[in-house]
Amino acid sequence: MPLERDASGRTFIHHPSGQRTHYILNDFTDPWKSRETILIQHGFGRHAAFWYHWIPILSRKYRVIRRDLRGHGYSSYPQNSDKYDYTLNTILGEMIDTLDQLGVERVHFLGESTGGILGEIFAAKHPESLLSLTVCSTPIYLPPVALRLFAFGRKDWPTACRELGSRGWAEELSRIPGTIPVTDPQYLPWYLEQIAVSDGEGLAQYAKFLSTLDARPWLGRIKAPTLILSPTQSAAVKVEDMKVLAEKIEGSKLVLIEGPGHEIYVTQAKKCQQAFLGFLENLDRDITKGEN
């Protein structure tokens, strides 16, 4: 399957599933040096562009791949005529296919919110593909109370995405206190505009997939070095749950990120970046010690 670049310069992977995945690759490392790769996977409703502020600090030392999930951003989603097996194995298979087509064997996986659920299962099922796992503001599954919240009075979460559209759904989310506590008055309009890049139907299909996604059976099988970045004031993730997660993943490191809101990768970006880079640097030192 060939790589593709459209007229706007966006880059895509074509999968055997018939779908295509939009990705952004940034690499400002010294070209004569070997470098490792970071794969960033965003949370629900967002897409690759939301991580723009992480790229300058990460891409100087690492090759960084940001990919849009199925039905998010500029990635496609199944149409009525498509024969698409919308399952965990398909979604994970497309992640593997992305890496294969880009010639990447192993990555440091960085998953935010529900993107981290995928990362946890990915780490358990495909340990050969991971150098490390980092999850940020990540629940291990979405309980019924969360699914009801995301429905915003509709029949269910997918229905809310279809009826409200992507922007309308995000507007409802933004009204929940502390969800998007960014003080810059120009941030929310930009946020909503970016959410609107995705189609409501694409988000609805992925919401249905997420509604049954559960990392709990897989946590004990994760062997990759793991960092857990936990918000202290999230409406969706409790510190107590993150402590339980740290106990389930042997040898994992839990870092509490003080500050309001769920999307700490934005509101507390510097703290998260420092913790993440420190974690990766410690891995490098451990590897170097082992070689000596």
Side-chain angles (χ1 to χ4, degrees):
M1 294 291 176
L3 305 178
E4 175 191 332
R5 185 182 298 271
D6 68 10
S8 66
R10 298 187 185 96
T11 46
F12 298 87
I13 298 286
H14 281 261
H15 300 293
S17 65
Q19 299 300 310
R20 70 177 192 169
T21 292
H22 171 247
Y23 72 95
I24 303 173
L25 192 155
N26 302 106
D27 183 356
F28 295 97
T29 61
D30 295 327
W32 61 90
K33 294 180 179 178
S34 62
R35 76 282 200 216
E36 295 173 339
T37 301
I38 296 170
L39 174 63
I40 298 178
Q41 197 61 84
H42 60 81
F44 181 80
R46 299 179 277 284
H47 54 77
F50 282 79
W51 286 81
Y52 70 91
H53 55 309
W54 281 65
I55 301 310
I57 192 171
L58 296 186
S59 64
R60 185 64 184 90
K61 188 174 180 181
Y62 299 90
R63 175 169 50 179
V64 183
I65 300 170
R66 294 173 280 165
R67 67 186 294 273
D68 290 347
L69 287 165
R70 184 64 44 238
H72 288 68
Y74 298 98
S75 289
S76 65
Y77 60 88
Q79 306 299 309
N80 290 334
S81 59
D82 293 339
K83 295 180 179 179
Y84 184 76
D85 187 22
Y86 214 132
T87 62
L88 174 62
N89 285 339
T90 300
I91 297 298
L92 294 183
E94 290 172 349
M95 291 170 60
I96 292 289
D97 188 47
T98 297
L99 298 181
D100 287 346
Q101 292 199 42
L102 293 176
V104 179
E105 292 184 3
R106 304 177 74 194
V107 297
H108 296 286
F109 189 103
L110 171 56
E112 187 265 333
S113 193
T114 54
I117 303 179
L118 273 183
E120 290 163 348
I121 303 175
F122 187 67
K125 287 177 69 70
H126 300 281
E128 72 286 351
S129 296
L130 258 68
L131 294 166
S132 72
L133 170 67
T134 296
V135 294
C136 177
S137 303
T138 294
I140 52 178
Y141 75 106
L142 295 174
V145 63
L147 299 179
R148 287 194 296 271
L149 173 65
F150 295 155
F152 296 120
R154 272 67 179 181
K155 174 186 174 183
D156 53 28
W157 185 12
T159 300
C161 292
R162 291 188 176 98
E163 293 185 357
L164 295 169
S166 55
R167 183 187 180 99
W169 186 87
E171 287 175 344
E172 292 286 349
L173 183 70
S174 70
R175 297 186 181 102
I176 300 174
T179 303
I180 311 174
V182 178
T183 56
D184 186 338
Q186 295 181 325
Y187 178 75
L188 184 57
W190 176 85
Y191 179 96
L192 295 174
E193 179 182 332
Q194 290 300 312
I195 294 287
V197 170
S198 303
D199 188 275
E201 175 60 29
L203 294 190
Q205 292 180 13
Y206 197 77
K208 181 180 179 181
F209 166 73
L210 277 183
S211 296
T212 58
L213 194 63
D214 191 341
R216 287 176 294 181
W218 302 97
L219 299 179
R221 294 172 55 181
I222 297 175
K223 302 304 179 184
T226 300
L227 172 66
I228 302 166
L229 299 176
S230 170
T232 58
Q233 301 175 43
S234 168
V237 175
K238 296 179 180 179
V239 172
E240 293 75 16
D241 294 336
M242 295 300 95
K243 290 180 178 178
V244 172
L245 174 60
E247 293 174 356
K248 296 288 186 181
I249 302 177
E250 184 178 354
S252 61
K253 178 181 180 182
L254 173 64
V255 176
L256 302 182
I257 304 296
E258 297 289 343
H262 179 70
E263 296 178 25
I264 55 174
Y265 80 101
V266 174
T267 59
Q268 304 298 327
K270 186 175 181 179
K271 295 178 183 177
C272 291
Q273 290 164 0
Q274 288 175 340
F276 178 55
L277 286 172
F279 170 67
L280 297 187
E281 288 166 5
N282 282 334
L283 291 180
D284 288 341
R285 285 194 287 269
D286 290 343
I287 292 173
T288 300
K289 288 179 182 178
E291 293 175 346
N292 294 332

